Amino acid sequence: MSIPLVLAGCLTASAAAAPSPAMTLAIEGTTDVVIVTPREPSPSVARAARELQTFLGQITGAEFPCVTEATPPAPHEIVLGAPERLRKLGIRVDPDQLGSEGYLLRTVDGHLVIAGSAVRGVMYGVYGLLGDHLGCRWFTPAVSRILKRPTLVLPELNETVIPPLEYRWPAVRDCYHPDWCARNRVNVGPMLTEAHGGSVKFCGWAHTFGELVPVETYFEEHPEYFALVDGRRLRQRTQLCCTNEEVIGLVIDGIRKRMRSTRGATYFSVSQNDWGNFCQCPRCQIVADREESQMGPVLQLVNRVADAVVDEFPDKRVTTLAYQWSRKPPKTLRPRPNVTIRLCSIECCFA
């Protein structure tokens, strides 16, 4: 997978770059620490530098200059993925391990290194420092808590953080504000700009069975493509027969075409329609009975699609829903590495 990074190499630092003890960021409202970005920072790295400057200023009362690495080195710096500075400090980072969102925080030789991708990695590293280590909280777009600490000393840091959840989105309109999203490391949102790291993009949000194999196109000649319920194939409010080989081929072709034609999208949905009526045909029920869940036939279909497209699209993912009748995990089937299960706990209290 090709991800634009502001650094390269592997996570193992050389002996010369061994983490050093605590780093003083400010003393009684003054500082000699400089924030350093690459010579041509990406929009999100440039914005992250301004955010770090702003919030460190609010915490300490000190003014932290922002410069690019074209400026001569200072004795104490916060290095935001600037590759020339990283090389001098002996810091090497593995872009394949960090991906677009992982980051490295490390104190070394009077410097604080925040390293990661130029997409969201460095930006999330800045908010990881501010939130996880300095106590900043952004509760709503209008309500925050920034602690005042005129003298600010960082403990020794040597951590690598990779978000455990692939996409994060509280689907509440009050939380659509792009600054709030970025500060809370939310990576899905209609208002996220390139300067906020952009938004993870979907092709087909959900309930795509009807789009991939339309009833209007296929039912007359191939009713067997659709759910058998109580002894008859349903045309209205139907699902797919997930074990039908021709259906599997049509879904594979549909997802492959979408991956080829939809630029910028990472997630491609193969998911049940938004009602019941799962297929009760003998082949589907054999799988469901074996897996003790109606998710069995669905995940078997999704895995077949994922296997068919992974060589051509190793950086794309096939998604499906664990929703209502498919929510119970199957007994033995497991999603392929390029499959994402989206758990829909829709009956939970949203208050």
Side-chain angles (χ1 to χ4, degrees):
M1 178 168 61
S2 177
I3 298 174
L5 292 179
V6 293
L7 45 104
C10 68
L11 273 170
T12 304
S14 68
S20 54
M23 178 179 175
T24 300
L25 294 179
I27 298 176
E28 295 300 324
T30 63
T31 187
D32 66 347
V33 176
V34 178
I35 299 169
V36 183
T37 72
R39 290 174 181 263
E40 296 183 2
S42 71
S44 70
V45 172
R47 181 181 169 278
R50 296 192 297 271
E51 289 274 274
L52 184 60
Q53 180 185 49
T54 295
F55 289 114
L56 286 180
Q58 290 181 14
I59 293 168
T60 65
E63 295 185 10
F64 289 77
C66 282
V67 302
T68 75
E69 60 184 341
T71 303
H76 303 105
E77 296 177 331
I78 301 175
V79 178
L80 301 188
E84 296 169 27
R85 293 289 205 271
L86 295 176
R87 281 194 293 271
K88 289 180 180 179
L89 292 169
I91 300 293
R92 296 173 293 169
V93 179
D94 183 353
D96 292 330
Q97 180 183 15
L98 293 183
S100 62
E101 297 190 344
Y103 59 86
L104 171 70
L105 292 180
R106 182 172 296 173
T107 50
V108 53
D109 295 341
H111 293 65
L112 169 63
V113 169
I114 304 178
S117 84
V119 180
R120 288 182 286 275
V122 170
M123 180 182 73
Y124 284 165
V126 166
Y127 292 127
L129 172 71
L130 292 169
D132 301 340
H133 295 282
L134 301 182
C136 295
R137 296 290 184 270
W138 299 278
F139 299 113
T140 77
V143 179
S144 60
R145 183 191 71 190
I146 311 298
L147 302 177
K148 304 300 183 182
R149 297 159 69 180
T151 296
L152 183 59
V153 180
L154 276 181
E156 177 181 316
L157 292 178
N158 185 16
E159 67 180 29
T160 300
V161 178
I162 298 173
L165 297 179
E166 292 179 18
Y167 86 96
R168 303 167 298 280
W169 180 43
V172 180
R173 291 193 183 278
D174 287 346
C175 300
Y176 284 6
H177 192 284
D179 289 348
W180 183 91
C181 287
R183 291 165 184 168
N184 287 282
R185 289 169 272 181
V186 170
N187 64 356
V188 178
M191 300 174 68
L192 287 171
T193 68
E194 190 177 2
H196 296 90
S199 176
V200 170
K201 290 183 171 58
F202 287 76
C203 179
W205 177 246
H207 310 308
T208 56
F209 274 8
E211 301 170 14
L212 293 166
V213 185
V215 168
E216 298 81 5
T217 304
Y218 294 102
F219 190 85
E220 290 300 326
E221 293 188 9
H222 296 284
E224 72 276 12
Y225 289 1
F226 302 94
L228 180 72
V229 179
D230 296 333
R232 65 187 182 93
R233 297 285 176 176
L234 294 187
R235 181 173 189 141
Q236 302 297 323
R237 298 179 69 82
T238 191
Q239 305 287 352
L240 295 182
C241 177
C242 294
T243 58
N244 183 292
E245 287 296 323
E246 293 181 12
V247 168
I248 294 169
L250 288 171
V251 175
I252 288 172
D253 288 344
I255 292 300
R256 186 179 284 121
K257 289 176 182 177
R258 289 182 174 202
M259 288 183 171
R260 289 172 177 168
S261 63
T262 309
R263 299 184 60 183
T266 300
Y267 295 93
F268 293 78
S269 175
V270 178
S271 55
Q272 68 207 61
N273 294 324
D274 197 9
W275 43 73
N277 295 332
F278 53 81
C279 185
Q280 300 170 2
C281 80
R283 286 179 304 186
C284 286
Q285 284 309 111
I286 287 173
V287 179
D289 291 345
R290 183 191 72 214
E291 297 299 329
E292 300 178 5
S293 170
Q294 291 298 333
M295 175 56 111
V298 175
L299 184 56
Q300 182 171 281
L301 164 65
V302 170
N303 280 345
R304 289 279 298 275
V305 176
D307 288 343
V309 301
V310 66
D311 289 341
E312 185 177 355
F313 303 100
D315 57 341
K316 308 293 186 185
R317 301 186 67 82
V318 181
T319 75
T320 197
L321 304 178
Y323 176 48
Q324 296 182 347
W325 51 267
S326 68
R327 189 179 297 124
K328 183 181 178 182
K331 185 176 181 179
T332 65
L333 277 175
R334 296 295 179 264
R336 296 291 192 265
N338 60 327
V339 168
T340 296
I341 308 294
R342 300 170 69 197
L343 174 62
C344 304
S345 53
I346 196 169
E347 296 87 1
C348 292
C349 176
F350 276 60

